[in-house]
Amino acid sequence: MANAFMEIAFTPNVRALQARMGSRDAYARGDEDVVKEPVLGPYEIPFIEARDSFYLGTVSETGWPYVQHRGGPTGFLKVLDSRTIGFADFSGNRQYVSTGNLAGDNRVSLFLMDYPRQTRLKILGRARVVDEDSESELMARLDNPHYRARVERGIVIRIEGFDWNCPKYITPRYTEEEVAQRIRDAVEAHAGTVSQGSPGSDEPLGSGELALAVTGVRQLTLRVRAYELRAEGAGLLPPAEAGSHLEVPVRLADGSVVTRQYSLAADPASCDAYEIAVLRESEGRGGSLAIHETWQIGTRLRVSRPINHFPLHADSRPAVLIAGGIGITAIKAMAEALRRRNSRFELHYTGRTPADMAYHRQLARELPASYFTYSSRVPGEERLDVSKVLPGPCADAVFYVCGPAALIEAVRSEARRLGIAPERVQSESFT
């Protein structure tokens, strides 16, 4: 069925431009179908109710668009039914531009933003103004009794269409409370580390031949942290090939020392520093949690030389790189190696949301023509379909996939179906 939002927004001029720019075919599949009724569902309703602001567009009598910010307590934008939303209009600077525009043209456009998760929902509808005298019960539903702001009127919007927008180029921003909570969590974690103590912390952890120290820590996502490791004494490190990993020592909460394997994510040509990215898994075996809670700048380690069970081919054949979640670490190093030697390649990266994808913005900036992303938890966004990724490249391309076992099996299964030789499909599971 056709999307009601697109039926409204895709005017003849828009469709003509899409045709010239090559995107019309992607949107044209549902043109002949009956327009789908824009009914809010399990993704849209909680998203709307979680907003504390949105942008409202109206149309003036002169035809000029006017966009205004509307804000209030979380949930001030109410879902009245599956096709109707509304909000209490608080007293502002008393220009009344948006309200005045509605007196002549009831069409509105809303942009609802979730900056931390890089998600936005756009809504088209027809609005009407309500007041206490004429519709007191409806005004009571729109009211926010614990919010100290004077309500002048209510705005009720009948939805004509909605669409989830592309997350690209949304810069994550955080509220004061979100920042404060992150600081509190970090302080508590650090206090817990100090109070528990770290047996033998004056000595390097591990017994490998390379003496390393943590010289940098970066928070890549809410759960992924990158650690820069350099040789003690500012010496050079043994070169590592793309696909290599380090076995690092980790002291668990019970005091025992174990090893964990992490792919090298930095440019393998560099001998100045290694970099690993660690996904914090609260329900895992404890290694990643211990690294997040105990490693800090100055932490000393002794590790073995890098090991490579996932090598990149050395000839000139093109490559298709496929990463799922934290599997991007090994794939990122491969992309940098291929770019440095001017080899053709594509990088396909799938994650829950863009905000969950480590190195996302760096890769988008550095690989604008060969980097493709997919989101499994963003409604309306494209999901990775390996049947579309594998047939496209040249007949001699080599495929590399790193991520969950289900992703690896999907790639291998599709390769078998297409008759791609098994040796042209290399994989590494981050589990």
Side-chain angles (χ1 to χ4, degrees):
M1 302 182 77
N3 183 300
F5 183 96
M6 295 180 182
E7 183 72 13
I8 298 170
F10 290 179
T11 63
N13 283 341
V14 172
R15 292 168 188 256
L17 182 58
Q18 290 173 348
R20 285 204 307 274
M21 301 302 292
S23 62
R24 179 87 282 268
D25 289 346
Y27 294 115
R29 298 188 184 98
D31 278 356
E32 304 302 322
D33 296 337
V34 177
V35 177
K36 181 172 59 177
E37 185 174 281
V39 176
L40 300 175
Y43 292 115
E44 292 80 24
I45 292 174
F47 184 85
I48 292 170
E49 293 176 337
R51 306 277 61 81
D52 60 5
S53 68
F54 62 89
Y55 300 96
L56 175 70
T58 56
V59 184
S60 74
E61 296 165 87
T62 60
W64 282 96
Y66 181 73
V67 178
Q68 193 168 46
H69 176 268
R70 281 289 188 265
T74 298
F76 84 105
L77 181 59
K78 317 285 186 182
V79 177
L80 303 177
D81 61 44
S82 62
R83 286 197 61 181
T84 311
I85 58 177
F87 61 96
D89 198 20
F90 306 120
S91 178
N93 59 14
R94 302 177 69 84
Q95 289 185 345
Y96 303 118
V97 177
S98 295
T99 309
N101 286 346
L102 292 178
D105 192 326
N106 67 356
R107 291 174 298 172
V108 295
S109 174
L110 284 73
F111 248 63
L112 280 60
M113 305 294 300
D114 184 340
Y115 287 104
R117 296 170 182 80
Q118 296 176 287
T119 307
R120 56 188 164 189
L121 175 66
K122 48 190 182 181
I123 298 174
L124 297 176
R126 295 184 179 273
R128 65 185 183 92
V129 179
V130 300
D131 58 42
E132 183 69 33
D133 294 334
S134 61
E135 299 183 70
S136 58
E137 291 186 5
L138 182 53
M139 284 297 296
R141 292 183 66 186
L142 300 179
D143 193 15
N144 302 272
H146 302 297
Y147 188 60
R148 298 181 61 182
R150 187 167 70 87
V151 178
E152 290 192 336
R153 67 194 61 79
I155 306 293
V156 176
I157 301 167
R158 180 68 170 172
I159 296 174
E160 299 288 336
F162 64 83
D163 195 28
W164 292 93
N165 213 177
C166 173
K168 287 183 179 179
Y169 313 121
I170 300 177
T171 301
R173 294 182 173 88
Y174 302 90
T175 65
E176 182 178 1
E177 175 54 33
E178 287 168 337
V179 172
Q181 183 60 52
R182 289 188 175 206
I183 293 174
R184 287 194 294 269
D185 292 344
V187 169
E188 290 175 5
H190 179 69
T193 300
V194 172
S195 64
Q196 292 172 9
S198 298
S201 59
D202 289 338
E203 296 296 325
L205 193 62
S207 58
E209 62 180 287
L210 301 181
L212 306 180
V214 177
T215 55
V217 180
R218 290 185 296 142
Q219 194 75 35
L220 301 179
T221 73
L222 284 174
R223 297 174 58 212
V224 179
R225 194 174 289 172
Y227 295 90
E228 178 189 79
L229 307 173
R230 294 182 182 270
E232 288 191 333
L236 294 179
L237 295 169
E241 298 176 343
S244 298
H245 69 268
L246 281 182
E247 292 187 347
V248 300
V250 183
R251 189 183 301 278
L252 301 182
D254 62 5
S256 62
V257 177
V258 298
T259 58
R260 294 289 186 264
Q261 295 77 38
Y262 293 100
S263 296
L264 294 177
D267 187 342
S270 172
C271 295
D272 294 330
Y274 297 146
E275 181 173 296
I276 62 173
V278 180
L279 171 68
R280 182 186 180 111
E281 297 182 279
S282 300
E283 304 302 321
R285 295 179 294 161
S288 66
L289 195 62
I291 290 177
H292 274 248
E293 293 184 349
T294 62
W295 281 22
Q296 54 191 309
I297 292 178
T299 297
R300 301 171 65 204
L301 307 168
R302 294 197 69 93
V303 305
S304 301
R305 288 172 174 263
I307 303 166
N308 196 355
H309 299 312
F310 189 41
L312 186 65
H313 64 286
D315 55 52
S316 60
R317 286 177 295 170
V320 177
L321 312 176
I322 304 172
I326 195 61
I328 190 60
T329 50
I331 294 299
K332 172 178 174 291
M334 288 182 169
E336 292 178 348
L338 289 165
R339 183 178 62 160
R340 191 175 59 254
R341 70 192 198 196
N342 294 320
S343 294
R344 287 182 297 156
F345 70 94
E346 298 175 357
L347 197 167
H348 299 266
Y349 184 12
T350 180
R352 295 180 178 181
T353 71
D356 296 312
M357 298 165 70
Y359 301 109
H360 168 53
R361 281 192 282 177
Q362 177 187 346
L363 292 168
R365 183 178 64 252
E366 295 178 353
L367 309 172
S370 54
Y371 177 59
F372 307 90
T373 60
Y374 312 86
S375 299
S376 63
R377 299 288 179 87
V378 179
E381 288 301 310
E382 183 180 7
R383 296 189 174 209
L384 175 62
D385 183 349
V386 296
S387 68
K388 296 180 180 179
V389 172
L390 267 63
C394 302
D396 60 344
V398 184
F399 299 86
Y400 298 88
V401 54
C402 185
L407 173 62
I408 293 173
E409 178 52 35
V411 171
R412 288 197 173 277
S413 177
E414 182 63 17
R416 287 193 295 269
R417 188 185 71 83
L418 295 172
I420 297 174
E423 60 270 17
R424 287 173 51 207
V425 182
Q426 304 299 318
S427 65
E428 183 172 71
S429 171
F430 60 64
T431 57

